[in-house]
Coordinates of all heavy atoms in Angstrom, one line a residue:
M253 N 56.1 77.7 159.5 CA 55.5 77.3 158.3 C 55.2 78.5 157.4 O 54.2 79.2 157.5 CB 54.2 76.6 158.6 CG 54.3 75.3 159.3 SD 52.7 74.4 159.5 CE 51.9 75.5 160.6
P254 N 56.2 78.9 156.5 CA 56.0 80.0 155.7 C 54.9 79.8 154.7 O 54.8 78.7 154.1 CB 57.3 80.2 155.0 CG 57.9 78.8 155.0 CD 57.4 78.2 156.3
G255 N 54.0 80.8 154.5 CA 52.9 80.6 153.5 C 51.7 79.9 154.0 O 50.8 79.7 153.2
I256 N 51.7 79.4 155.2 CA 50.6 78.6 155.7 C 49.8 79.4 156.7 O 50.4 80.0 157.6 CB 51.1 77.3 156.4 CG1 51.9 76.4 155.5 CG2 49.9 76.5 156.9 CD1 51.2 76.0 154.2
Q257 N 48.5 79.5 156.6 CA 47.7 80.3 157.4 C 46.5 79.4 157.9 O 46.2 78.4 157.3 CB 47.1 81.5 156.7 CG 48.2 82.5 156.2 CD 48.9 83.2 157.4 OE1 48.2 83.6 158.4 NE2 50.2 83.4 157.3
H258 N 45.8 79.9 158.9 CA 44.6 79.2 159.3 C 43.5 80.2 159.7 O 43.8 81.4 160.0 CB 44.8 78.3 160.5 CG 45.0 79.0 161.8 ND1 46.2 79.6 162.1 CD2 44.2 79.2 162.8 CE1 46.1 80.1 163.3 NE2 44.9 79.9 163.8
H259 N 42.3 79.8 159.5 CA 41.1 80.6 159.9 C 40.4 79.8 161.0 O 40.3 78.6 161.0 CB 40.1 80.8 158.8 CG 40.6 81.8 157.8 ND1 40.6 83.1 158.1 CD2 41.0 81.7 156.5 CE1 41.0 83.8 157.0 NE2 41.3 82.9 156.0
K260 N 39.8 80.5 162.0 CA 39.0 79.9 163.0 C 37.6 80.4 162.7 O 37.3 81.5 162.4 CB 39.4 80.4 164.4 CG 40.7 79.9 164.8 CD 41.0 80.4 166.2 CE 42.4 79.9 166.6 NZ 42.8 80.5 167.9
Y261 N 36.6 79.4 162.7 CA 35.2 79.7 162.4 C 34.5 79.4 163.7 O 34.7 78.4 164.3 CB 34.7 78.8 161.3 CG 35.5 79.0 160.0 CD1 36.5 78.1 159.7 CD2 35.2 80.0 159.1 CE1 37.2 78.3 158.5 CE2 35.9 80.2 158.0 CZ 36.9 79.4 157.6 OH 37.6 79.5 156.5
L262 N 33.5 80.3 164.1 CA 32.7 80.0 165.2 C 31.3 79.9 164.8 O 30.8 80.7 164.0 CB 32.9 81.2 166.2 CG 34.2 81.3 166.8 CD1 34.3 82.6 167.7 CD2 34.6 80.1 167.7
Y263 N 30.5 79.0 165.3 CA 29.1 78.8 165.0 C 28.4 78.7 166.3 O 28.9 78.1 167.3 CB 28.9 77.5 164.3 CG 29.8 77.3 163.1 CD1 31.0 76.7 163.2 CD2 29.3 77.7 161.8 CE1 31.8 76.5 162.1 CE2 30.1 77.5 160.7 CZ 31.4 76.9 160.9 OH 32.2 76.7 159.7
M264 N 27.2 79.2 166.4 CA 26.3 79.1 167.6 C 25.0 78.4 167.1 O 24.4 78.9 166.2 CB 26.0 80.4 168.2 CG 25.1 80.2 169.5 SD 24.9 81.7 170.4 CE 26.3 81.6 171.5
Q265 N 24.7 77.3 167.7 CA 23.6 76.5 167.2 C 22.8 76.1 168.5 O 23.3 75.8 169.5 CB 24.0 75.2 166.5 CG 24.7 75.5 165.2 CD 23.8 75.9 164.1 OE1 22.6 75.6 164.2 NE2 24.3 76.5 163.1
S266 N 21.5 76.0 168.3 CA 20.6 75.4 169.3 C 20.5 73.9 169.1 O 20.2 73.1 170.0 CB 19.3 76.0 169.4 OG 18.6 75.9 168.1
E267 N 20.8 73.4 167.9 CA 20.7 72.0 167.6 C 22.0 71.6 166.8 O 22.1 72.1 165.6 CB 19.5 71.7 166.8 CG 19.4 70.3 166.3 CD 19.2 69.3 167.4 OE1 18.4 69.5 168.3 OE2 19.8 68.2 167.3
I268 N 22.9 70.9 167.3 CA 24.1 70.6 166.6 C 24.3 69.1 166.3 O 25.4 68.7 166.0 CB 25.4 71.1 167.4 CG1 25.6 70.4 168.7 CG2 25.3 72.6 167.6 CD1 27.0 70.4 169.1
S269 N 23.3 68.3 166.4 CA 23.5 66.9 166.2 C 24.1 66.6 164.8 O 25.0 65.7 164.6 CB 22.2 66.1 166.4 OG 21.3 66.6 165.4
W270 N 23.8 67.4 163.8 CA 24.3 67.2 162.5 C 25.8 67.5 162.5 O 26.6 66.8 161.8 CB 23.6 68.2 161.5 CG 23.8 69.6 161.8 CD1 22.9 70.4 162.6 CD2 24.8 70.5 161.4 NE1 23.4 71.7 162.8 CE2 24.6 71.8 162.0 CE3 25.9 70.4 160.6 CZ2 25.4 72.9 161.8 CZ3 26.8 71.5 160.5 CH2 26.5 72.7 161.1
F271 N 26.2 68.5 163.2 CA 27.6 68.9 163.3 C 28.5 67.8 163.9 O 29.5 67.4 163.5 CB 27.9 70.2 164.0 CG 29.3 70.6 164.0 CD1 29.9 71.2 162.9 CD2 30.1 70.3 165.1 CE1 31.2 71.5 162.9 CE2 31.5 70.6 165.1 CZ 32.0 71.2 164.0
L272 N 28.0 67.2 165.0 CA 28.7 66.1 165.7 C 28.8 64.9 164.8 O 29.8 64.2 164.8 CB 28.0 65.8 167.0 CG 28.0 66.9 168.1 CD1 27.3 66.5 169.3 CD2 29.5 67.3 168.4
E273 N 27.8 64.6 164.0 CA 27.8 63.5 163.1 C 28.9 63.7 162.0 O 29.7 62.8 161.7 CB 26.5 63.3 162.4 CG 25.4 62.8 163.3 CD 24.1 62.7 162.6 OE1 24.0 62.8 161.4 OE2 23.1 62.6 163.4
I274 N 29.0 65.0 161.5 CA 30.0 65.3 160.5 C 31.4 65.2 161.2 O 32.3 64.6 160.6 CB 29.8 66.7 159.9 CG1 28.6 66.7 159.1 CG2 31.0 67.1 159.1 CD1 28.2 68.1 158.6
K275 N 31.6 65.7 162.4 CA 32.9 65.7 163.1 C 33.3 64.2 163.3 O 34.5 63.8 163.1 CB 32.8 66.4 164.4 CG 34.1 66.4 165.1 CD 34.0 67.0 166.5 CE 35.3 66.8 167.2 NZ 35.2 67.0 168.6
E276 N 32.4 63.4 163.7 CA 32.7 61.9 163.9 C 33.1 61.3 162.6 O 34.0 60.5 162.6 CB 31.5 61.2 164.5 CG 31.7 59.8 164.9 CD 32.8 59.7 166.1 OE1 32.9 60.6 166.9 OE2 33.5 58.7 166.1
T277 N 32.4 61.6 161.5 CA 32.8 61.0 160.2 C 34.2 61.4 159.8 O 34.9 60.6 159.2 CB 31.8 61.5 159.1 OG1 30.5 61.1 159.5 CG2 32.1 60.9 157.8
L278 N 34.5 62.7 160.0 CA 35.8 63.2 159.6 C 36.9 63.1 160.7 O 38.0 63.6 160.5 CB 35.7 64.7 159.2 CG 34.8 65.0 158.1 CD1 34.6 66.5 157.9 CD2 35.3 64.4 156.8
R279 N 36.6 62.4 161.8 CA 37.5 62.4 162.9 C 38.8 61.7 162.5 O 38.9 60.8 161.8 CB 36.9 61.6 164.1 CG 37.8 61.6 165.3 CD 37.1 61.1 166.5 NE 36.8 59.6 166.3 CZ 36.6 58.8 167.2 NH1 36.5 59.2 168.4 NH2 36.3 57.5 167.0
S280 N 39.9 62.4 163.0 CA 41.3 61.9 162.7 C 42.1 62.2 163.9 O 42.0 63.2 164.5 CB 41.8 62.6 161.5 OG 43.2 62.3 161.3
N281 N 43.0 61.3 164.3 CA 44.0 61.6 165.3 C 45.2 62.2 164.8 O 46.1 62.6 165.6 CB 44.3 60.3 166.1 CG 43.1 59.7 166.8 OD1 42.2 60.5 167.2 ND2 43.0 58.4 166.9
D282 N 45.3 62.3 163.5 CA 46.5 62.9 162.9 C 46.4 64.4 162.7 O 45.4 64.9 162.2 CB 46.8 62.3 161.5 CG 47.0 60.8 161.5 OD1 47.5 60.3 162.6 OD2 46.7 60.1 160.6
E283 N 47.3 65.1 163.3 CA 47.3 66.6 163.1 C 47.8 66.9 161.7 O 48.5 66.2 161.1 CB 48.2 67.2 164.2 CG 47.6 67.1 165.6 CD 48.4 67.9 166.6 OE1 49.1 68.8 166.2 OE2 48.2 67.6 167.8
I284 N 47.3 68.1 161.2 CA 47.7 68.5 159.9 C 49.1 69.2 160.1 O 49.3 69.9 161.0 CB 46.7 69.6 159.4 CG1 45.4 68.8 159.1 CG2 47.2 70.3 158.2 CD1 44.3 69.7 158.5
V285 N 49.9 68.8 159.1 CA 51.3 69.4 159.1 C 51.4 70.2 157.8 O 50.6 70.1 156.9 CB 52.4 68.3 159.2 CG1 52.3 67.5 160.5 CG2 52.2 67.3 158.0
S286 N 52.5 71.0 157.7 CA 52.7 71.9 156.6 C 52.7 71.2 155.3 O 52.2 71.7 154.3 CB 53.9 72.8 156.8 OG 55.1 71.9 156.9
S287 N 53.2 70.0 155.2 CA 53.3 69.3 153.9 C 51.9 68.9 153.5 O 51.7 68.6 152.3 CB 54.2 68.1 154.0 OG 53.7 67.1 155.0
D288 N 50.9 68.9 154.4 CA 49.5 68.6 154.0 C 48.9 69.8 153.3 O 47.9 69.6 152.5 CB 48.7 68.3 155.2 CG 49.1 67.0 155.9 OD1 49.6 66.1 155.2 OD2 48.8 66.9 157.1
V289 N 49.4 71.0 153.5 CA 48.8 72.2 153.0 C 49.6 72.9 151.9 O 49.0 73.4 151.0 CB 48.6 73.2 154.2 CG1 48.0 74.5 153.8 CG2 47.9 72.5 155.3
I290 N 50.9 72.8 151.9 CA 51.7 73.5 150.9 C 51.4 73.0 149.6 O 51.5 71.8 149.3 CB 53.2 73.4 151.3 CG1 53.5 74.2 152.6 CG2 54.1 74.0 150.1 CD1 54.9 74.0 153.0
G291 N 51.1 73.9 148.6 CA 50.8 73.5 147.3 C 49.4 73.1 147.0 O 49.1 72.7 145.8
T292 N 48.5 73.1 147.9 CA 47.1 72.7 147.7 C 46.4 73.8 147.0 O 46.7 75.0 147.2 CB 46.4 72.3 149.0 OG1 46.3 73.4 149.8 CG2 47.1 71.1 149.6
T293 N 45.4 73.5 146.2 CA 44.6 74.5 145.5 C 43.3 74.7 146.2 O 42.5 75.5 145.8 CB 44.3 74.0 144.1 OG1 43.6 72.8 144.1 CG2 45.6 73.8 143.3
F294 N 43.1 74.0 147.3 CA 41.8 74.1 148.1 C 41.7 75.5 148.7 O 42.7 76.1 149.1 CB 41.7 73.0 149.1 CG 41.8 71.7 148.6 CD1 42.9 70.8 149.0 CD2 40.9 71.2 147.7 CE1 43.0 69.5 148.5 CE2 41.0 69.9 147.1 CZ 42.0 69.1 147.5
G295 N 40.5 75.9 149.0 CA 40.2 77.1 149.7 C 40.6 77.0 151.2 O 40.8 77.9 151.9
G296 N 40.6 75.7 151.7 CA 40.9 75.4 153.0 C 40.8 73.9 153.3 O 40.1 73.2 152.6
I297 N 41.6 73.5 154.3 CA 41.5 72.1 154.7 C 41.1 72.0 156.1 O 41.7 72.6 157.0 CB 42.9 71.4 154.6 CG1 43.4 71.4 153.1 CG2 42.9 70.0 155.1 CD1 44.8 70.9 153.0
F298 N 39.9 71.4 156.3 CA 39.3 71.3 157.7 C 40.2 70.4 158.6 O 40.6 69.4 158.2 CB 37.9 70.7 157.5 CG 37.2 70.3 158.8 CD1 36.8 71.3 159.7 CD2 37.0 69.0 159.2 CE1 36.2 71.0 160.9 CE2 36.3 68.7 160.3 CZ 36.0 69.7 161.2
D299 N 40.4 70.9 159.8 CA 41.2 70.2 160.8 C 40.3 69.7 161.9 O 40.1 70.5 162.8 CB 42.3 71.1 161.3 CG 43.3 70.4 162.2 OD1 43.1 69.2 162.5 OD2 44.3 71.0 162.5
P300 N 39.9 68.5 161.9 CA 39.0 68.0 162.9 C 39.6 67.9 164.3 O 38.9 67.9 165.3 CB 38.5 66.6 162.4 CG 39.6 66.2 161.4 CD 40.1 67.5 160.9
T301 N 40.9 67.9 164.4 CA 41.6 67.8 165.7 C 41.5 69.1 166.4 O 41.8 69.1 167.6 CB 43.1 67.4 165.5 OG1 43.8 68.4 164.8 CG2 43.2 66.1 164.8
Q302 N 41.2 70.2 165.8 CA 41.1 71.5 166.4 C 39.6 71.9 166.8 O 39.4 73.0 167.2 CB 41.7 72.6 165.5 CG 43.1 72.3 165.1 CD 44.0 72.5 166.3 OE1 43.9 73.4 167.1 NE2 44.9 71.5 166.5
T303 N 38.7 71.0 166.5 CA 37.3 71.4 166.8 C 37.0 71.3 168.3 O 37.4 70.4 169.0 CB 36.4 70.4 166.1 OG1 36.6 70.4 164.7 CG2 34.9 70.7 166.3
E304 N 36.3 72.4 168.7 CA 35.9 72.5 170.1 C 34.4 72.8 170.2 O 33.9 73.6 169.4 CB 36.6 73.5 170.9 CG 38.1 73.3 171.0 CD 38.9 74.4 171.7 OE1 38.2 75.3 172.3 OE2 40.1 74.4 171.6
V305 N 33.7 72.2 171.1 CA 32.2 72.5 171.4 C 32.1 72.9 172.8 O 32.5 72.1 173.7 CB 31.4 71.3 171.0 CG1 29.9 71.6 171.3 CG2 31.6 70.8 169.6
V306 N 31.4 74.0 173.1 CA 31.2 74.5 174.4 C 29.7 74.6 174.6 O 29.0 75.3 173.7 CB 31.8 75.9 174.7 CG1 31.5 76.4 176.0 CG2 33.3 75.8 174.5
T307 N 29.1 74.0 175.6 CA 27.7 74.0 175.8 C 27.3 75.1 176.9 O 27.9 75.1 178.0 CB 27.2 72.7 176.3 OG1 27.5 71.7 175.2 CG2 25.6 72.7 176.5
T308 N 26.3 75.9 176.6 CA 25.9 76.9 177.5 C 24.3 77.0 177.4 O 23.8 77.3 176.4 CB 26.4 78.3 177.2 OG1 27.8 78.2 177.1 CG2 26.0 79.3 178.3
D309 N 23.7 76.6 178.5 CA 22.2 76.5 178.5 C 21.7 75.7 177.4 O 22.0 74.5 177.3 CB 21.6 78.0 178.5 CG 22.0 78.8 179.7 OD1 22.1 78.2 180.8 OD2 22.2 80.0 179.6
D310 N 20.9 76.3 176.5 CA 20.3 75.6 175.3 C 21.2 75.7 174.1 O 20.8 75.2 173.0 CB 18.9 76.1 175.1 CG 18.0 75.7 176.2 OD1 18.2 74.8 176.9 OD2 17.0 76.5 176.3
Y311 N 22.3 76.4 174.1 CA 23.1 76.6 172.9 C 24.5 76.0 173.0 O 25.0 75.8 174.1 CB 23.2 78.2 172.7 CG 21.9 78.8 172.3 CD1 21.1 79.4 173.3 CD2 21.5 78.8 171.0 CE1 19.9 79.9 172.9 CE2 20.3 79.4 170.6 CZ 19.5 79.9 171.6 OH 18.3 80.5 171.3
Q312 N 25.0 75.8 171.9 CA 26.4 75.3 171.9 C 27.2 76.1 170.9 O 26.8 76.5 169.8 CB 26.4 73.8 171.4 CG 25.8 72.9 172.5 CD 25.8 71.5 172.1 OE1 25.5 71.2 171.0 NE2 26.1 70.7 173.1
L313 N 28.4 76.5 171.3 CA 29.3 77.3 170.5 C 30.3 76.3 169.9 O 31.0 75.6 170.7 CB 30.0 78.4 171.3 CG 31.0 79.3 170.6 CD1 30.2 80.1 169.6 CD2 31.7 80.2 171.6
I314 N 30.5 76.3 168.6 CA 31.4 75.4 167.9 C 32.5 76.2 167.3 O 32.3 77.1 166.6 CB 30.6 74.6 166.8 CG1 29.4 74.0 167.4 CG2 31.5 73.6 166.1 CD1 28.3 73.6 166.4
K315 N 33.7 75.7 167.5 CA 34.9 76.4 166.9 C 35.6 75.3 166.0 O 35.9 74.2 166.4 CB 35.9 76.8 167.9 CG 37.1 77.5 167.3 CD 38.3 77.7 168.2 CE 39.1 76.4 168.2 NZ 40.4 76.4 168.8
T316 N 35.8 75.7 164.7 CA 36.5 74.8 163.8 C 37.7 75.6 163.2 O 37.7 76.8 163.3 CB 35.6 74.3 162.7 OG1 35.2 75.4 161.9 CG2 34.4 73.5 163.2
V317 N 38.6 74.9 162.7 CA 39.8 75.5 162.1 C 40.0 74.9 160.7 O 39.9 73.7 160.4 CB 41.1 75.2 163.0 CG1 42.3 75.7 162.3 CG2 40.9 75.8 164.3
S318 N 40.4 75.8 159.8 CA 40.7 75.5 158.4 C 42.0 76.0 158.0 O 42.3 77.2 158.3 CB 39.6 76.0 157.5 OG 39.9 75.8 156.2
W319 N 42.9 75.2 157.5 CA 44.2 75.6 157.0 C 44.3 75.8 155.5 O 43.6 75.1 154.8 CB 45.3 74.6 157.4 CG 45.4 74.4 158.9 CD1 44.7 73.5 159.7 CD2 46.3 75.1 159.8 NE1 45.0 73.6 161.0 CE2 46.0 74.6 161.1 CE3 47.2 76.1 159.6 CZ2 46.7 75.0 162.2 CZ3 47.9 76.5 160.7 CH2 47.7 76.0 162.0
Y320 N 45.1 76.8 155.1 CA 45.2 77.0 153.6 C 46.6 77.5 153.3 O 47.3 78.1 154.1 CB 44.1 77.9 153.1 CG 44.3 79.4 153.6 CD1 44.9 80.3 152.9 CD2 43.8 79.7 154.9 CE1 45.1 81.6 153.4 CE2 43.9 81.0 155.4 CZ 44.5 81.9 154.6 OH 44.7 83.2 155.1
D321 N 47.0 77.3 152.0 CA 48.3 77.8 151.5 C 48.1 79.3 151.2 O 47.3 79.6 150.3 CB 48.7 77.0 150.3 CG 50.1 77.4 149.8 OD1 50.4 78.6 149.8 OD2 50.8 76.5 149.3
N322 N 48.7 80.1 151.9 CA 48.5 81.6 151.8 C 49.0 82.1 150.5 O 48.5 83.2 150.1 CB 49.3 82.3 152.9 CG 48.8 83.7 153.1 OD1 47.7 84.1 152.9 ND2 49.8 84.6 153.5
E323 N 49.8 81.4 149.7 CA 50.3 82.0 148.5 C 49.6 81.2 147.3 O 48.7 81.8 146.7 CB 51.8 81.8 148.4 CG 52.5 82.6 149.4 CD 54.0 82.2 149.6 OE1 54.4 81.3 149.0 OE2 54.6 82.9 150.4
Y324 N 49.9 80.0 147.1 CA 49.4 79.2 145.9 C 47.9 79.0 146.1 O 47.1 79.2 145.1 CB 50.1 77.9 145.8 CG 49.8 77.2 144.5 CD1 50.1 77.7 143.3 CD2 49.1 75.9 144.6 CE1 49.7 77.0 142.2 CE2 48.7 75.2 143.5 CZ 49.0 75.7 142.3 OH 48.7 75.1 141.1
G325 N 47.5 78.6 147.2 CA 46.0 78.4 147.5 C 45.2 79.6 147.3 O 44.1 79.6 146.7
F326 N 45.7 80.8 147.7 CA 45.0 82.0 147.5 C 44.9 82.4 146.1 O 43.8 82.8 145.6 CB 45.7 83.2 148.3 CG 45.1 84.5 148.1 CD1 44.0 84.9 148.7 CD2 45.7 85.4 147.2 CE1 43.4 86.1 148.5 CE2 45.1 86.7 147.0 CZ 43.9 87.0 147.7
V327 N 46.0 82.2 145.3 CA 45.9 82.5 143.9 C 44.9 81.6 143.2 O 44.2 82.1 142.3 CB 47.4 82.4 143.3 CG1 47.3 82.5 141.7 CG2 48.3 83.5 143.8
C328 N 44.9 80.4 143.5 CA 44.0 79.4 142.9 C 42.5 79.8 143.2 O 41.7 79.7 142.3 CB 44.3 78.0 143.4 SG 45.8 77.3 142.7
Q329 N 42.3 80.3 144.4 CA 41.0 80.7 144.8 C 40.6 82.0 144.0 O 39.4 82.1 143.6 CB 40.9 81.0 146.3 CG 39.5 81.3 146.8 CD 38.6 80.1 146.8 OE1 39.0 79.0 146.6 NE2 37.3 80.4 146.9
M330 N 41.5 82.9 143.8 CA 41.2 84.1 143.1 C 40.9 83.8 141.6 O 40.0 84.4 141.0 CB 42.4 85.1 143.1 CG 42.5 85.7 144.5 SD 41.0 86.5 145.1 CE 40.8 87.8 143.9
V331 N 41.6 82.8 141.0 CA 41.3 82.4 139.6 C 39.9 81.8 139.6 O 39.2 82.1 138.6 CB 42.4 81.4 139.2 CG1 42.0 80.7 137.9 CG2 43.8 82.0 139.0
R332 N 39.5 81.0 140.6 CA 38.2 80.4 140.5 C 37.1 81.5 140.6 O 36.1 81.5 139.9 CB 38.0 79.5 141.7 CG 38.6 78.1 141.5 CD 38.2 77.1 142.6 NE 38.7 77.4 143.9 CZ 39.9 76.9 144.3 NH1 40.7 76.2 143.6 NH2 40.3 77.2 145.5
V333 N 37.3 82.5 141.5 CA 36.4 83.6 141.6 C 36.3 84.4 140.3 O 35.2 84.8 139.8 CB 36.8 84.6 142.8 CG1 36.0 85.8 142.7 CG2 36.6 83.8 144.1
L334 N 37.5 84.7 139.7 CA 37.5 85.5 138.4 C 36.8 84.7 137.3 O 36.1 85.3 136.5 CB 38.9 85.8 138.0 CG 39.6 86.9 138.9 CD1 41.1 87.0 138.6 CD2 38.9 88.2 138.8
N335 N 37.0 83.4 137.3 CA 36.3 82.6 136.3 C 34.8 82.7 136.4 O 34.0 82.7 135.5 CB 36.8 81.1 136.3 CG 38.1 80.9 135.6 OD1 38.5 81.7 134.7 ND2 38.8 79.9 136.1
K336 N 34.3 82.6 137.7 CA 32.9 82.7 138.0 C 32.4 84.1 137.5 O 31.3 84.2 136.9 CB 32.6 82.5 139.5 CG 32.8 81.1 139.9 CD 31.7 80.2 139.6 CE 32.0 78.9 140.3 NZ 31.0 77.9 139.9
L337 N 33.1 85.2 137.9 CA 32.7 86.5 137.5 C 32.7 86.7 136.0 O 31.8 87.5 135.5 CB 33.6 87.6 138.2 CG 33.5 87.7 139.7 CD1 34.6 88.6 140.2 CD2 32.1 88.2 140.1
A338 N 33.6 86.1 135.3 CA 33.6 86.2 133.8 C 32.4 85.6 133.2 O 32.0 86.0 132.1 CB 34.9 85.6 133.3
K339 N 31.8 84.7 133.9 CA 30.6 84.0 133.3 C 29.3 84.8 133.6 O 28.2 84.4 133.1 CB 30.5 82.6 133.8 CG 31.6 81.7 133.3 CD 31.5 80.3 133.9 CE 32.7 79.5 133.5 NZ 32.7 78.2 134.1
I340 N 29.4 85.8 134.4 CA 28.2 86.6 134.8 C 27.8 87.5 133.6 O 28.5 88.1 133.0 CB 28.4 87.4 136.1 CG1 28.5 86.4 137.2 CG2 27.2 88.3 136.3 CD1 28.8 87.1 138.5

């Protein structure tokens, strides 16, 4: 997948009921494919199929994945940032 990248985000929470509710709402059995990402202007597309939750004692470690177009999506994000900075 040329030009497609992903980021992994890790969260540690003592209370994650809100996260599980969001995950359930966004749940999908369809994996993200390159055609879902190429040409998007979004900063990232959340992939609920890649979410993992690990419980240890009173805490839970949550891993999520976000995909983005490394070329076009990055340029669009930079334009948004520059527009915000120009208004300061």
Side-chain angles (χ1 to χ4, degrees):
M253 291 186 293
I256 304 300
Q257 299 290 323
H258 73 280
H259 283 291
K260 293 181 183 176
Y261 302 96
L262 296 173
Y263 308 90
M264 181 174 269
Q265 295 284 340
S266 59
E267 175 66 43
I268 66 152
S269 60
W270 61 271
F271 181 80
L272 294 177
E273 290 174 18
I274 292 171
K275 181 184 173 198
E276 186 64 28
T277 301
L278 298 174
R279 187 170 64 162
S280 170
N281 294 328
D282 298 331
E283 292 187 15
I284 292 181
V285 295
S286 60
S287 62
D288 294 332
V289 180
I290 293 175
T292 62
T293 61
F294 303 117
I297 298 175
F298 173 67
D299 186 352
T301 64
Q302 300 293 316
T303 301
E304 296 178 13
V305 178
V306 177
T307 303
T308 307
D309 298 325
D310 294 335
Y311 292 92
Q312 293 180 317
L313 183 65
I314 305 160
K315 181 195 86 165
T316 62
V317 175
S318 176
W319 295 89
Y320 66 97
D321 185 324
N322 194 32
E323 297 165 357
Y324 187 66
F326 176 77
V327 171
C328 291
Q329 186 67 18
M330 290 305 299
V331 169
R332 283 192 289 271
V333 169
L334 290 172
N335 282 334
K336 293 278 186 184
L337 290 173
K339 295 177 183 178
I340 294 178

